[in-house]
Amino acid sequence: MTPPDISLEFFPPKSLEASFRLWDTVQKLAPLEPRFVSVTYGAGGTTRELTRDAVKTIHRHSGLRTAAHLTCVNATREETLDIARGFWDVGVHDIVALRGDPPKGEDRFTPTDGGFANSCELIEALKAERDFTVRVGAYPDIHPDAGSMDADVTYLKRKFDAGADEALTQFFFDADAFFRFRDACVAAGIDKPIVPGIFPVENWKGARRFAEGCGTRIPDDVAARFDAAEADGSSEAFARDFCIDLCERLIAGGADKLHFYTLNKPELTQDVCKALGVTRSDRMVA
Ligand code: FAD
């Protein structure tokens, strides 16, 4: 099995302690030689400065190719493009361009006055502004706002037609869901990479909550196995084995890139990548 190329996702730290934890994670995972690492943008646009600082710091001090997430929420077009230009000027040329989730307490995305109405507008404007590499979100279990997989695939095609270079998927628990989605994308004429998003589950209850929030389906047998592992105290080993198995299925089915949602914790991602042969264990930082 050829080891996949990986990328890593972090979230911006909100305290000094969290900053140290993130930096420790970056250092421990850097030897995996990720294609790029990315930093999320808080729901509702809440972490604008924190995201900017984290992106610039990681870019400057780690030597890793670093991508900034940007959303259309709570900002005018000019404010958003100003942030993007700021990234370009310091050498950050990768953006994960998203419509974004609504702020807490709101259940629908509403464009800001003078802001981008959807992710396609954001992608087009970024590409017109500078030669950014633009990645976008994709949803193997179908986005909650999409009426059907066909509608979701059609919308993803519009994002590629608007200039996106690559899609990173929401996390999922069923490799077949990814393959069905990927095949539907190919049938719709999408020829750009669609990279599976991998969520190493450190905390099963938290993972269930995330899945519910973003429309990720948890097959009954998978939920039962995670529940059983939690009940008998083997959840860590089970989560690792489950994640390795999911990745191996994806690789066997043709996925040559994986995007890891690290939640700023290195251990599980490190273990899974080691099992996949992503890097020699002697290069890992203990
Ligand atoms: P879009 O692709 O623009 O829309 C989502 C779906 O809604 C589409 O697939 C389509 O089916 C439907 N839809 C939307 N508009 C239309 C329309 N006009 N006509 C028809 N159908 C439509 N959120 C954050 O707040 N910050 C982050 O940093 C962040 N990072 C993410 C990273 C990844 C890899 C992924 C997959 C998601 C991330 N999210 C983040 C979550 C994301 O913001 C939400 O899933 C949001 O609800 C959709 O954003 P999007 O850009 O994928 O939406």
Side-chain angles (χ1 to χ4, degrees):
M1 189 181 70
T2 309
D5 282 332
I6 64 152
S7 50
L8 306 167
E9 187 168 308
F10 306 120
F11 62 85
K14 289 190 179 153
S15 66
L16 188 60
E17 195 194 338
S19 302
F20 278 105
R21 211 176 315 130
L22 170 58
W23 188 243
D24 180 58
T25 300
V26 170
Q27 286 193 303
K28 285 189 168 142
L29 296 181
L32 299 174
E33 295 175 359
R35 288 194 298 143
F36 68 92
V37 300
S38 75
V39 182
T40 60
Y41 198 76
T46 46
T47 63
R48 194 175 303 170
E49 281 76 28
L50 292 173
T51 297
R52 191 195 54 204
D53 291 351
V55 167
K56 289 184 177 175
T57 304
I58 292 171
H59 169 73
R60 193 165 55 238
H61 295 290
S62 72
L64 297 171
R65 181 169 176 171
T66 308
H69 292 220
L70 265 186
T71 74
C72 306
V73 180
N74 259 343
T76 64
R77 299 168 72 101
E78 218 18 65
E79 285 167 344
T80 305
L81 291 177
D82 207 40
I83 297 170
R85 284 189 289 264
F87 284 130
W88 181 272
D89 290 345
V90 297
V92 172
H93 298 168
D94 293 65
I95 302 281
V96 181
L98 302 141
R99 183 198 69 183
D101 278 327
K104 256 199 178 113
E106 293 174 32
D107 53 4
R108 288 185 65 82
F109 169 79
T110 317
T112 300
D113 275 350
F116 292 109
N118 54 54
S119 50
C120 292
E121 285 189 4
L122 173 61
I123 297 159
E124 271 168 14
L126 287 169
K127 283 290 192 182
E129 196 65 42
R130 299 284 189 280
D131 189 20
F132 284 110
T133 296
V134 176
R135 297 185 177 84
V136 295
Y139 300 88
D141 284 321
I142 306 177
H143 189 277
D145 292 354
S148 64
M149 182 181 295
D150 277 356
D152 224 5
V153 169
T154 303
Y155 199 74
L156 180 60
K157 174 117 180 23
R158 283 177 56 192
K159 297 200 284 190
F160 280 119
D161 291 344
D165 298 288
E166 181 173 280
L168 307 170
T169 80
Q170 187 56 275
F171 72 95
F172 53 88
F173 288 93
D174 176 7
D176 288 335
F178 173 78
F179 294 133
R180 274 194 297 275
F181 181 75
R182 184 193 60 184
D183 293 349
C185 290
V186 171
I190 294 174
D191 58 3
K192 299 269 173 61
I194 298 175
V195 180
I198 305 296
F199 182 22
V201 175
E202 295 263 358
N203 172 336
W204 171 231
K205 283 197 183 68
R208 283 193 96 125
R209 224 177 23 251
F210 284 146
E212 214 169 288
C214 66
T216 290
R217 197 179 67 83
I218 308 179
D220 290 345
D221 65 310
V222 172
R225 285 157 66 212
F226 268 103
D227 285 343
E230 195 159 83
D232 72 15
S234 62
S235 48
E236 206 180 304
F238 176 74
R240 189 188 56 237
D241 293 348
F242 179 84
C243 192
I244 293 168
D245 181 60
L246 178 64
C247 293
E248 285 177 345
R249 282 175 198 227
L250 292 165
I251 295 164
D256 59 356
K257 300 180 183 70
L258 300 174
H259 180 71
F260 282 86
Y261 293 99
T262 70
L263 294 192
N264 296 4
K265 291 182 183 154
E267 292 82 10
L268 256 184
T269 299
Q270 222 174 14
D271 287 353
V272 171
C273 287
K274 185 174 171 185
L276 299 175
V278 170
T279 195
R280 294 201 322 269
S281 57
D282 56 339
R283 293 173 61 214
M284 297 268 194
V285 178

